[in-house]
Amino acid sequence: MAWVKWRWIQLIATYQEKDLRVFWQREQSQGRSSSDVVLTFKQGIITEMNQKDSFRGRVEVFPNELTRGNFSLLLKSVRPADVGQYETIIVPEKNSNRPRCRTQLNVGAPFSKPRVTVEVCTESTWPSEIRCETWGGFPEPLIHWIVGTQAIDSDQVKTNSSTTNGSISVTSILHLWSQEEIPVTCIVENPILRTNESSTQTIHHCEDPAVNLYGLLVLVPILLIQPILVYLFCFSKKKSACRSTQEQAEESTTAPPGGQGSQDNANVTIHLLE
């Protein structure tokens, strides 16, 4: 079994006998009705007859090794579509027996370090939305969430994936309500390469929107009543000022003889004497 991480893989097959024919092919699998011809060695010549287009220009053998019975095949620029079981069939000229060599090829590409982002907790986004994004790998990874020290069940997570040029991008979303600061970790597991990539973010306190609603119900009546109270206060002050002005007017019309009027008469008398 071959586990491919880099750009090429050597599929090894040896047989100690001359004057034979060799066929390299990828066996039938789901989605393929027949085997795919990879390369053919016949009458001492390597030929691309009936070769599948996707392998053209990407396969080589070792010419100096052929006469020694080494029919290993080099597959270059390995891609996800190359996954499958490969078979080398050796057909001796003087022997009805046909030895076969099979190799399972699994292709894996590493994923990026996951990017974890947290949507700020507000009334419209409660509970907190936590996103984990990774890309560039193959095959589709397994996504694991850990909140604090507790693993989250997959049915509590929504995960979407898309494929571009053979590589996979994945977005996983977790909704979480927390009354305290707590670390949240997203782990991306590649089942072929058997590698993990992870990132951690700390989730801050997210207030229950029910509390905010209660506060709103208390605040709205206050805001509505306040203008009415201000109006009543101003009306009361205005009425008091009017009453004070009226009282002063009444006092001036009923002033005693020794008041302001007698002073005016005295002044007139003084002027006459002069």
Side-chain angles (χ1 to χ4, degrees):
M1 183 172 292
W3 304 87
V4 179
K5 181 177 181 180
W6 309 111
R7 293 299 180 184
W8 58 270
I9 183 68
Q10 181 178 346
L11 306 177
I12 300 174
T14 60
Y15 190 75
Q16 298 296 328
E17 186 172 333
K18 299 179 181 179
D19 300 326
L20 44 77
R21 292 173 294 168
V22 182
F23 302 92
W24 293 270
Q25 65 183 26
R26 181 172 56 181
E27 293 185 338
Q28 296 180 12
S29 64
Q30 185 176 2
R32 293 199 303 270
S33 59
S34 61
S35 298
D36 299 327
V37 176
V38 179
L39 205 60
T40 302
F41 175 73
K42 186 177 181 181
Q43 296 178 347
I45 300 175
I46 295 293
T47 175
E48 297 179 351
M49 182 181 300
N50 299 323
Q51 184 185 48
K52 185 174 178 61
D53 291 340
S54 61
F55 293 112
R56 198 171 301 278
R58 296 199 300 128
V59 291
E60 293 181 4
V61 293
F62 304 91
N64 296 333
E65 296 292 323
L66 294 178
T67 57
R68 301 176 185 177
N70 181 1
F71 298 98
S72 299
L73 180 77
L74 181 66
L75 176 60
K76 299 181 294 183
S77 300
V78 177
R79 58 191 66 166
D82 294 333
V83 170
Q85 187 172 69
Y86 288 77
E87 184 178 43
T88 304
I89 305 175
I90 302 170
V91 185
E93 289 289 344
K94 301 178 181 180
N95 192 337
S96 60
N97 185 31
R98 296 186 175 186
R100 296 169 181 258
C101 176
R102 290 186 175 91
T103 300
Q104 174 64 37
L105 175 61
N106 295 310
V107 179
F111 281 89
S112 65
K113 185 178 180 65
R115 180 176 61 190
V116 178
T117 56
V118 181
E119 186 74 25
V120 178
C121 176
T122 63
E123 291 179 9
S124 61
T125 61
W126 184 89
S128 293
E129 181 179 281
I130 311 166
R131 287 177 172 263
C132 177
E133 299 172 287
T134 185
W135 55 88
F138 185 86
E140 186 163 339
L142 302 175
I143 305 296
H144 307 283
W145 287 91
I146 298 178
V147 178
T149 58
Q150 182 179 358
I152 302 299
D153 294 336
S154 59
D155 57 357
Q156 300 181 31
V157 179
K158 182 180 180 180
T159 302
N160 297 315
S161 62
S162 60
T163 303
T164 304
N165 296 327
S167 64
I168 298 176
S169 299
V170 178
T171 299
S172 183
I173 300 176
L174 171 66
H175 289 97
L176 179 68
W177 177 69
S178 175
Q179 293 182 321
E180 59 183 7
E181 291 189 354
I182 190 169
V184 177
T185 301
C186 176
I187 302 174
V188 179
E189 177 187 351
N190 190 312
I192 293 297
L193 301 183
R194 300 176 184 176
T195 58
N196 292 333
E197 295 285 349
S198 65
S199 292
T200 301
Q201 280 281 9
T202 298
I203 307 303
H204 299 282
H205 170 67
C206 182
E207 188 174 353
D208 190 334
V211 176
N212 294 333
L213 180 60
Y214 174 78
L216 187 62
L217 292 176
V218 173
L219 182 61
V220 167
I222 294 177
L223 294 176
L224 293 175
I225 293 174
Q226 184 178 11
I228 298 175
L229 295 177
V230 171
Y231 173 78
L232 292 176
F233 175 77
C234 293
F235 180 77
S236 175
K237 295 289 289 184
K238 183 177 181 181
K239 186 175 181 181
S240 176
C242 291
R243 185 183 300 112
S244 176
T245 302
Q246 183 178 3
E247 290 175 353
Q248 291 178 2
E250 291 175 354
E251 289 177 359
S252 62
T253 56
T254 57
Q260 183 66 32
S262 62
Q263 290 181 3
D264 292 341
N265 293 333
N267 289 337
V268 171
T269 303
I270 292 172
H271 285 293
L272 290 174
L273 291 175
E274 293 176 351

PDB file of all heavy atoms in Angstrom, residues 11 30 32 38 53-54 71 74 81 83 86 89 116 122 125 156 192 200 206 209 221 241 252 255:
ATOM      1  N   LEU A  11       5.914   2.658  -7.993  1.00  0.00           N
ATOM      2  CA  LEU A  11       5.165   1.410  -7.838  1.00  0.00           C
ATOM      3  C   LEU A  11       6.091   0.272  -8.254  1.00  0.00           C
ATOM      4  O   LEU A  11       6.479   0.162  -9.415  1.00  0.00           O
ATOM      5  CB  LEU A  11       3.902   1.437  -8.702  1.00  0.00           C
ATOM      6  CG  LEU A  11       2.992   2.647  -8.480  1.00  0.00           C
ATOM      7  CD1 LEU A  11       1.813   2.601  -9.431  1.00  0.00           C
ATOM      8  CD2 LEU A  11       2.520   2.692  -7.044  1.00  0.00           C
ATOM      9  N   GLN A  30     -15.345   2.107  -8.471  1.00  0.00           N
ATOM     10  CA  GLN A  30     -16.636   2.780  -8.599  1.00  0.00           C
ATOM     11  C   GLN A  30     -16.504   3.988  -9.522  1.00  0.00           C
ATOM     12  O   GLN A  30     -15.630   4.832  -9.360  1.00  0.00           O
ATOM     13  CB  GLN A  30     -17.126   3.223  -7.221  1.00  0.00           C
ATOM     14  CG  GLN A  30     -18.525   3.815  -7.244  1.00  0.00           C
ATOM     15  CD  GLN A  30     -19.000   4.155  -5.848  1.00  0.00           C
ATOM     16  OE1 GLN A  30     -18.275   3.992  -4.875  1.00  0.00           O
ATOM     17  NE2 GLN A  30     -20.234   4.617  -5.741  1.00  0.00           N
ATOM     18  N   ARG A  32     -15.812   3.687 -12.759  1.00  0.00           N
ATOM     19  CA  ARG A  32     -15.061   3.291 -13.954  1.00  0.00           C
ATOM     20  C   ARG A  32     -15.521   1.908 -14.388  1.00  0.00           C
ATOM     21  O   ARG A  32     -15.543   0.961 -13.597  1.00  0.00           O
ATOM     22  CB  ARG A  32     -13.558   3.262 -13.669  1.00  0.00           C
ATOM     23  CG  ARG A  32     -12.961   4.636 -13.393  1.00  0.00           C
ATOM     24  CD  ARG A  32     -11.454   4.608 -13.589  1.00  0.00           C
ATOM     25  NE  ARG A  32     -10.791   3.617 -12.759  1.00  0.00           N
ATOM     26  CZ  ARG A  32     -10.343   3.860 -11.532  1.00  0.00           C
ATOM     27  NH1 ARG A  32     -10.492   5.054 -11.006  1.00  0.00           N
ATOM     28  NH2 ARG A  32      -9.737   2.929 -10.837  1.00  0.00           N
ATOM     29  N   VAL A  38      -2.134   2.179 -18.054  1.00  0.00           N
ATOM     30  CA  VAL A  38      -1.129   3.152 -17.632  1.00  0.00           C
ATOM     31  C   VAL A  38       0.067   3.134 -18.581  1.00  0.00           C
ATOM     32  O   VAL A  38       0.514   4.172 -19.065  1.00  0.00           O
ATOM     33  CB  VAL A  38      -0.677   2.880 -16.189  1.00  0.00           C
ATOM     34  CG1 VAL A  38       0.394   3.884 -15.765  1.00  0.00           C
ATOM     35  CG2 VAL A  38      -1.867   2.936 -15.237  1.00  0.00           C
ATOM     36  N   ASP A  53      -5.588   9.080 -21.097  1.00  0.00           N
ATOM     37  CA  ASP A  53      -5.046  10.432 -21.282  1.00  0.00           C
ATOM     38  C   ASP A  53      -4.508  11.047 -19.996  1.00  0.00           C
ATOM     39  O   ASP A  53      -3.523  11.787 -20.026  1.00  0.00           O
ATOM     40  CB  ASP A  53      -6.120  11.341 -21.878  1.00  0.00           C
ATOM     41  CG  ASP A  53      -6.448  10.979 -23.321  1.00  0.00           C
ATOM     42  OD1 ASP A  53      -5.610  10.303 -23.962  1.00  0.00           O
ATOM     43  OD2 ASP A  53      -7.539  11.360 -23.799  1.00  0.00           O
ATOM     44  N   SER A  54      -5.146  10.753 -18.876  1.00  0.00           N
ATOM     45  CA  SER A  54      -4.732  11.389 -17.624  1.00  0.00           C
ATOM     46  C   SER A  54      -3.340  10.955 -17.172  1.00  0.00           C
ATOM     47  O   SER A  54      -2.715  11.632 -16.352  1.00  0.00           O
ATOM     48  CB  SER A  54      -5.744  11.082 -16.513  1.00  0.00           C
ATOM     49  OG  SER A  54      -5.819   9.692 -16.271  1.00  0.00           O
ATOM     50  N   PHE A  71      10.395  -3.968 -13.209  1.00  0.00           N
ATOM     51  CA  PHE A  71       9.387  -3.244 -13.972  1.00  0.00           C
ATOM     52  C   PHE A  71       8.654  -2.223 -13.095  1.00  0.00           C
ATOM     53  O   PHE A  71       7.465  -1.970 -13.275  1.00  0.00           O
ATOM     54  CB  PHE A  71       8.388  -4.229 -14.596  1.00  0.00           C
ATOM     55  CG  PHE A  71       9.038  -5.174 -15.553  1.00  0.00           C
ATOM     56  CD1 PHE A  71       9.397  -6.448 -15.145  1.00  0.00           C
ATOM     57  CD2 PHE A  71       9.321  -4.779 -16.854  1.00  0.00           C
ATOM     58  CE1 PHE A  71      10.010  -7.322 -16.031  1.00  0.00           C
ATOM     59  CE2 PHE A  71       9.924  -5.644 -17.742  1.00  0.00           C
ATOM     60  CZ  PHE A  71      10.290  -6.930 -17.336  1.00  0.00           C
ATOM     61  N   LEU A  74       7.234   4.725 -12.278  1.00  0.00           N
ATOM     62  CA  LEU A  74       7.288   6.014 -11.591  1.00  0.00           C
ATOM     63  C   LEU A  74       6.101   6.862 -12.050  1.00  0.00           C
ATOM     64  O   LEU A  74       5.962   7.161 -13.236  1.00  0.00           O
ATOM     65  CB  LEU A  74       8.595   6.737 -11.910  1.00  0.00           C
ATOM     66  CG  LEU A  74       8.794   8.099 -11.232  1.00  0.00           C
ATOM     67  CD1 LEU A  74       8.926   7.929  -9.721  1.00  0.00           C
ATOM     68  CD2 LEU A  74      10.028   8.797 -11.796  1.00  0.00           C
ATOM     69  N   ALA A  81      -7.072  12.356  -8.211  1.00  0.00           N
ATOM     70  CA  ALA A  81      -7.772  11.435  -9.123  1.00  0.00           C
ATOM     71  C   ALA A  81      -6.987  10.156  -9.368  1.00  0.00           C
ATOM     72  O   ALA A  81      -7.526   9.203  -9.940  1.00  0.00           O
ATOM     73  CB  ALA A  81      -8.047  12.140 -10.450  1.00  0.00           C
ATOM     74  N   VAL A  83      -6.028   8.063  -7.182  1.00  0.00           N
ATOM     75  CA  VAL A  83      -6.330   7.063  -6.156  1.00  0.00           C
ATOM     76  C   VAL A  83      -6.858   5.786  -6.800  1.00  0.00           C
ATOM     77  O   VAL A  83      -7.664   5.827  -7.735  1.00  0.00           O
ATOM     78  CB  VAL A  83      -7.366   7.625  -5.155  1.00  0.00           C
ATOM     79  CG1 VAL A  83      -7.873   6.530  -4.234  1.00  0.00           C
ATOM     80  CG2 VAL A  83      -6.756   8.755  -4.349  1.00  0.00           C
ATOM     81  N   TYR A  86      -3.446  -0.319  -8.338  1.00  0.00           N
ATOM     82  CA  TYR A  86      -2.662  -0.486  -9.559  1.00  0.00           C
ATOM     83  C   TYR A  86      -2.153  -1.920  -9.653  1.00  0.00           C
ATOM     84  O   TYR A  86      -1.824  -2.555  -8.638  1.00  0.00           O
ATOM     85  CB  TYR A  86      -1.495   0.499  -9.574  1.00  0.00           C
ATOM     86  CG  TYR A  86      -1.934   1.930  -9.798  1.00  0.00           C
ATOM     87  CD1 TYR A  86      -2.506   2.671  -8.767  1.00  0.00           C
ATOM     88  CD2 TYR A  86      -1.802   2.533 -11.048  1.00  0.00           C
ATOM     89  CE1 TYR A  86      -2.926   3.974  -8.969  1.00  0.00           C
ATOM     90  CE2 TYR A  86      -2.213   3.843 -11.259  1.00  0.00           C
ATOM     91  CZ  TYR A  86      -2.773   4.554 -10.212  1.00  0.00           C
ATOM     92  OH  TYR A  86      -3.196   5.847 -10.419  1.00  0.00           O
ATOM     93  N   ILE A  89       0.873  -6.628 -14.671  1.00  0.00           N
ATOM     94  CA  ILE A  89       0.629  -7.988 -15.172  1.00  0.00           C
ATOM     95  C   ILE A  89       1.815  -8.391 -16.047  1.00  0.00           C
ATOM     96  O   ILE A  89       2.156  -7.707 -17.015  1.00  0.00           O
ATOM     97  CB  ILE A  89      -0.665  -8.050 -16.000  1.00  0.00           C
ATOM     98  CG1 ILE A  89      -1.847  -7.523 -15.168  1.00  0.00           C
ATOM     99  CG2 ILE A  89      -0.931  -9.476 -16.477  1.00  0.00           C
ATOM    100  CD1 ILE A  89      -3.135  -7.426 -15.943  1.00  0.00           C
ATOM    101  N   VAL A 116      -9.714  30.038  12.889  1.00  0.00           N
ATOM    102  CA  VAL A 116     -10.894  30.060  13.765  1.00  0.00           C
ATOM    103  C   VAL A 116     -11.269  31.518  14.024  1.00  0.00           C
ATOM    104  O   VAL A 116     -10.446  32.311  14.485  1.00  0.00           O
ATOM    105  CB  VAL A 116     -10.620  29.340  15.095  1.00  0.00           C
ATOM    106  CG1 VAL A 116     -11.841  29.428  16.009  1.00  0.00           C
ATOM    107  CG2 VAL A 116     -10.261  27.877  14.839  1.00  0.00           C
ATOM    108  N   THR A 122     -23.926  39.486  20.067  1.00  0.00           N
ATOM    109  CA  THR A 122     -24.918  40.550  20.199  1.00  0.00           C
ATOM    110  C   THR A 122     -26.293  39.908  20.236  1.00  0.00           C
ATOM    111  O   THR A 122     -26.437  38.691  20.066  1.00  0.00           O
ATOM    112  CB  THR A 122     -24.848  41.537  19.008  1.00  0.00           C
ATOM    113  OG1 THR A 122     -25.179  40.820  17.808  1.00  0.00           O
ATOM    114  CG2 THR A 122     -23.459  42.134  18.879  1.00  0.00           C
ATOM    115  N   THR A 125     -26.920  38.022  17.039  1.00  0.00           N
ATOM    116  CA  THR A 125     -26.077  36.875  16.685  1.00  0.00           C
ATOM    117  C   THR A 125     -25.970  35.871  17.822  1.00  0.00           C
ATOM    118  O   THR A 125     -25.121  34.999  17.782  1.00  0.00           O
ATOM    119  CB  THR A 125     -24.662  37.345  16.297  1.00  0.00           C
ATOM    120  OG1 THR A 125     -24.059  38.019  17.423  1.00  0.00           O
ATOM    121  CG2 THR A 125     -24.706  38.268  15.106  1.00  0.00           C
ATOM    122  N   GLN A 156     -23.907  18.593  16.567  1.00  0.00           N
ATOM    123  CA  GLN A 156     -24.052  19.973  17.023  1.00  0.00           C
ATOM    124  C   GLN A 156     -23.283  20.950  16.129  1.00  0.00           C
ATOM    125  O   GLN A 156     -23.254  22.147  16.396  1.00  0.00           O
ATOM    126  CB  GLN A 156     -23.553  20.110  18.464  1.00  0.00           C
ATOM    127  CG  GLN A 156     -24.295  19.233  19.451  1.00  0.00           C
ATOM    128  CD  GLN A 156     -23.774  19.410  20.871  1.00  0.00           C
ATOM    129  OE1 GLN A 156     -23.313  20.480  21.253  1.00  0.00           O
ATOM    130  NE2 GLN A 156     -23.839  18.353  21.659  1.00  0.00           N
ATOM    131  N   ILE A 192      -5.815  10.137   5.674  1.00  0.00           N
ATOM    132  CA  ILE A 192      -4.810   9.438   4.874  1.00  0.00           C
ATOM    133  C   ILE A 192      -3.411   9.700   5.398  1.00  0.00           C
ATOM    134  O   ILE A 192      -2.627   8.779   5.641  1.00  0.00           O
ATOM    135  CB  ILE A 192      -4.913   9.848   3.391  1.00  0.00           C
ATOM    136  CG1 ILE A 192      -6.225   9.338   2.799  1.00  0.00           C
ATOM    137  CG2 ILE A 192      -3.733   9.301   2.590  1.00  0.00           C
ATOM    138  CD1 ILE A 192      -6.362   7.827   2.772  1.00  0.00           C
ATOM    139  N   THR A 200      -6.845  27.451  18.323  1.00  0.00           N
ATOM    140  CA  THR A 200      -7.673  27.703  19.501  1.00  0.00           C
ATOM    141  C   THR A 200      -7.994  29.189  19.612  1.00  0.00           C
ATOM    142  O   THR A 200      -7.132  30.032  19.380  1.00  0.00           O
ATOM    143  CB  THR A 200      -6.966  27.234  20.786  1.00  0.00           C
ATOM    144  OG1 THR A 200      -6.687  25.828  20.680  1.00  0.00           O
ATOM    145  CG2 THR A 200      -7.836  27.469  22.013  1.00  0.00           C
ATOM    146  N   CYS A 206     -20.916  35.788  26.934  1.00  0.00           N
ATOM    147  CA  CYS A 206     -22.014  36.170  26.036  1.00  0.00           C
ATOM    148  C   CYS A 206     -23.289  36.260  26.856  1.00  0.00           C
ATOM    149  O   CYS A 206     -23.763  35.255  27.383  1.00  0.00           O
ATOM    150  CB  CYS A 206     -22.163  35.138  24.926  1.00  0.00           C
ATOM    151  SG  CYS A 206     -23.436  35.544  23.735  1.00  0.00           S
ATOM    152  N   PRO A 209     -29.717  36.898  25.840  1.00  0.00           N
ATOM    153  CA  PRO A 209     -30.579  37.960  25.323  1.00  0.00           C
ATOM    154  C   PRO A 209     -31.842  38.162  26.141  1.00  0.00           C
ATOM    155  O   PRO A 209     -32.452  39.228  26.079  1.00  0.00           O
ATOM    156  CB  PRO A 209     -30.899  37.478  23.908  1.00  0.00           C
ATOM    157  CG  PRO A 209     -30.657  36.011  23.920  1.00  0.00           C
ATOM    158  CD  PRO A 209     -29.527  35.804  24.890  1.00  0.00           C
ATOM    159  N   PRO A 221     -40.477  52.145  29.205  1.00  0.00           N
ATOM    160  CA  PRO A 221     -41.456  52.983  29.931  1.00  0.00           C
ATOM    161  C   PRO A 221     -40.818  54.233  30.534  1.00  0.00           C
ATOM    162  O   PRO A 221     -41.433  55.304  30.553  1.00  0.00           O
ATOM    163  CB  PRO A 221     -41.988  52.043  31.017  1.00  0.00           C
ATOM    164  CG  PRO A 221     -41.780  50.675  30.457  1.00  0.00           C
ATOM    165  CD  PRO A 221     -40.498  50.754  29.701  1.00  0.00           C
ATOM    166  N   ALA A 241     -44.676  81.158  38.337  1.00  0.00           N
ATOM    167  CA  ALA A 241     -44.136  82.475  37.960  1.00  0.00           C
ATOM    168  C   ALA A 241     -45.259  83.454  37.655  1.00  0.00           C
ATOM    169  O   ALA A 241     -45.201  84.635  38.016  1.00  0.00           O
ATOM    170  CB  ALA A 241     -43.226  82.314  36.744  1.00  0.00           C
ATOM    171  N   SER A 252     -48.891  96.764  44.149  1.00  0.00           N
ATOM    172  CA  SER A 252     -48.568  98.130  43.693  1.00  0.00           C
ATOM    173  C   SER A 252     -49.817  99.025  43.613  1.00  0.00           C
ATOM    174  O   SER A 252     -49.754 100.235  43.789  1.00  0.00           O
ATOM    175  CB  SER A 252     -47.886  98.072  42.328  1.00  0.00           C
ATOM    176  OG  SER A 252     -48.761  97.496  41.369  1.00  0.00           O
ATOM    177  N   ALA A 255     -50.946 100.439  47.353  1.00  0.00           N
ATOM    178  CA  ALA A 255     -49.845 100.952  48.185  1.00  0.00           C
ATOM    179  C   ALA A 255     -50.353 102.036  49.138  1.00  0.00           C
ATOM    180  O   ALA A 255     -51.191 102.865  48.756  1.00  0.00           O
ATOM    181  CB  ALA A 255     -48.752 101.532  47.296  1.00  0.00           C
TER     182      ALA A 255
END
